[in-house]
Amino acid sequence: MTKTKKQIAIQGWPGANHEIAAKAFFEADDIEVIPCLTFPDLFETLKNNRQCYGIIAIENTLVGSLLPNYTMLKDSDLVIIGEYKLRIKHQLLALPGQHISDIHEVYSHPMAIAQCEAFFKQYPHIKLIESEDTALSAKRIADNQQPGVGAIASELAAEMYQLDTLAHNIETNKRNYTRFLIISDRGKTEVDELLDQNRVNKSSLVFALPHEEGSLSKILTILAFYNINLTKIQSLPIVGQEWEYLFYVDLTFNDYKRYLQSLDAIRPLTSKLKSLGEYEAGRQSYPINNGHLEIEQAQ
């Protein structure tokens, strides 16, 4: 059976966690990764290439939500077609034949460095230097053949750039997960397929509420009446409208028709109501003893 070829825009360089999540989500397809150094670059890539899918981090269990990505998604004409939750693992990489005692500088994204600071306290001779991307830091070491320099990056980056792993899983918190959203401008096709298979059970909405007492509680009461479960709520200020906010919410449900009825019920009480996507609740990767990943359906 021939696999479908898909172009996937990722934030970061090949070998970054965005690519790992993309490979896991599109496991039944061949994918061609299009690297984008920043999230605005990714959205611009999707704007110019309508056949391309995108994958963006939206929240992390340690640092919370990536707020600018909510705004860029709302302002685009893209929709969420799926999600994936990845356990983030960091490796210390260097040129083959190097040892930790040889390393005097380590480069990586600021977030990765912050998540590994406890490990490096036992190596005070190593200077930690911020860079724009984990995988790109690894690539530069390989391209420039830099001895004495390390990178915090993924196992995939080590494999792609033929680097040695000097220390495995050096992140401090082993319950470090990132939730990624898969976005596309062809959402209707994917949603129709999922609906046919009775697999649509989650949605993401954004709306504004009048600045009056009880406005949010009314929305929550209606959703509860329709057996809709609120799994996340995030508020962001509306620029130019002091003390007024947009609410980004994630909902899960078992009955798609009841979900549509709940939208009809809350619509008169909101403004700027927009669906950011209807999709299947994502799978989550869990580490197990043999080093492989066990995939379970998120509850």
Side-chain angles (χ1 to χ4, degrees):
M1 180 178 176
T2 303
K3 290 185 176 182
T4 305
K5 186 79 170 183
K6 285 186 169 69
Q7 290 183 319
I8 316 295
I10 67 168
Q11 187 277 318
W13 218 249
N17 285 311
H18 274 74
E19 181 174 6
I20 295 173
K23 287 177 177 291
F25 183 85
F26 292 101
E27 59 184 348
D29 303 302
D30 287 331
I31 67 171
E32 174 190 351
V33 167
I34 301 176
C36 305
L37 205 50
T38 68
F39 287 113
D41 290 342
L42 184 149
F43 277 90
E44 187 66 21
T45 295
L46 295 183
K47 178 181 177 181
N48 296 327
N49 181 357
R50 309 308 289 187
Q51 299 304 310
C52 187
Y53 292 80
I55 183 166
I56 60 169
I58 199 66
E59 65 176 318
N60 176 268
T61 53
L62 303 185
V63 300
S65 299
L66 282 73
L67 300 181
N69 287 355
Y70 280 101
T71 301
M72 285 187 284
L73 181 57
K74 173 185 68 71
D75 292 341
S76 74
D77 59 352
L78 304 169
V79 294
I80 305 166
I81 64 165
E83 66 175 4
Y84 190 79
K85 300 171 184 176
L86 178 69
R87 155 85 151 85
I88 303 300
K89 297 188 287 185
H90 295 302
Q91 322 302 324
L92 176 58
L93 310 182
L95 290 176
Q98 299 277 285
H99 301 280
I100 290 184
S101 59
D102 301 321
I103 305 302
H104 55 85
E105 293 180 345
V106 169
Y107 289 79
S108 198
H109 189 277
M111 189 178 296
I113 290 175
Q115 293 169 359
C116 301
E117 284 181 339
F119 171 82
F120 286 102
K121 286 181 178 179
Q122 56 190 315
Y123 302 104
H125 69 283
I126 295 178
K127 181 180 180 180
L128 300 176
I129 303 174
E130 296 181 355
S131 69
E132 61 269 62
D133 185 65
T134 56
L136 184 56
S137 299
K139 183 178 186 298
R140 285 172 176 159
I141 292 173
D143 289 347
N144 299 323
Q145 289 294 293
Q146 295 176 282
V149 178
I152 302 170
S154 68
E155 293 177 349
L156 179 60
E159 178 183 340
M160 292 180 68
Y161 304 119
Q162 298 181 322
L163 298 176
D164 278 357
T165 301
L166 305 188
H168 293 271
N169 301 339
I170 63 174
E171 67 280 356
T172 303
N173 192 312
K174 306 305 180 183
R175 301 297 299 172
N176 180 7
Y177 290 87
T178 295
R179 182 166 72 102
F180 295 87
L181 300 178
I182 293 78
I183 56 178
S184 168
D185 77 331
R186 298 187 310 283
K188 187 177 185 303
T189 299
E190 278 83 359
V191 170
D192 287 345
E193 291 176 356
L194 291 174
L195 284 172
D196 289 342
Q197 300 166 18
N198 196 31
R199 290 167 55 195
V200 173
N201 58 8
K202 189 169 184 179
S203 76
S204 297
L205 306 175
V206 59
F207 54 81
L209 293 174
H211 191 54
E212 59 186 42
E213 185 176 345
S215 59
L216 180 57
S217 65
K218 291 176 184 177
I219 299 298
L220 300 181
T221 298
I222 291 172
L223 293 176
F225 174 79
Y226 284 94
N227 297 320
I228 307 299
N229 184 35
L230 181 71
T231 61
K232 180 178 175 62
I233 184 167
Q234 177 75 52
S235 64
L236 288 176
I238 301 175
V239 177
Q241 296 177 235
E242 293 81 4
W243 321 122
E244 294 191 26
Y245 298 86
L246 286 172
F247 294 89
Y248 294 82
V249 300
D250 290 341
L251 309 174
T252 58
F253 46 86
N254 296 318
D255 188 324
Y256 186 70
K257 289 184 178 179
R258 292 278 285 176
Y259 157 72
L260 294 179
Q261 290 169 353
S262 75
L263 295 190
D264 290 338
I266 67 172
R267 188 169 284 109
L269 303 177
T270 68
S271 62
K272 302 184 176 74
L273 176 63
K274 180 180 180 181
S275 171
L276 300 176
E278 299 165 359
Y279 48 99
E280 183 178 20
R283 296 174 297 174
Q284 181 160 307
S285 62
Y286 295 87
I288 55 178
N289 292 334
N290 63 4
H292 296 291
L293 293 178
E294 179 182 71
I295 304 299
E296 296 184 6
Q297 187 68 32
Q299 299 300 315

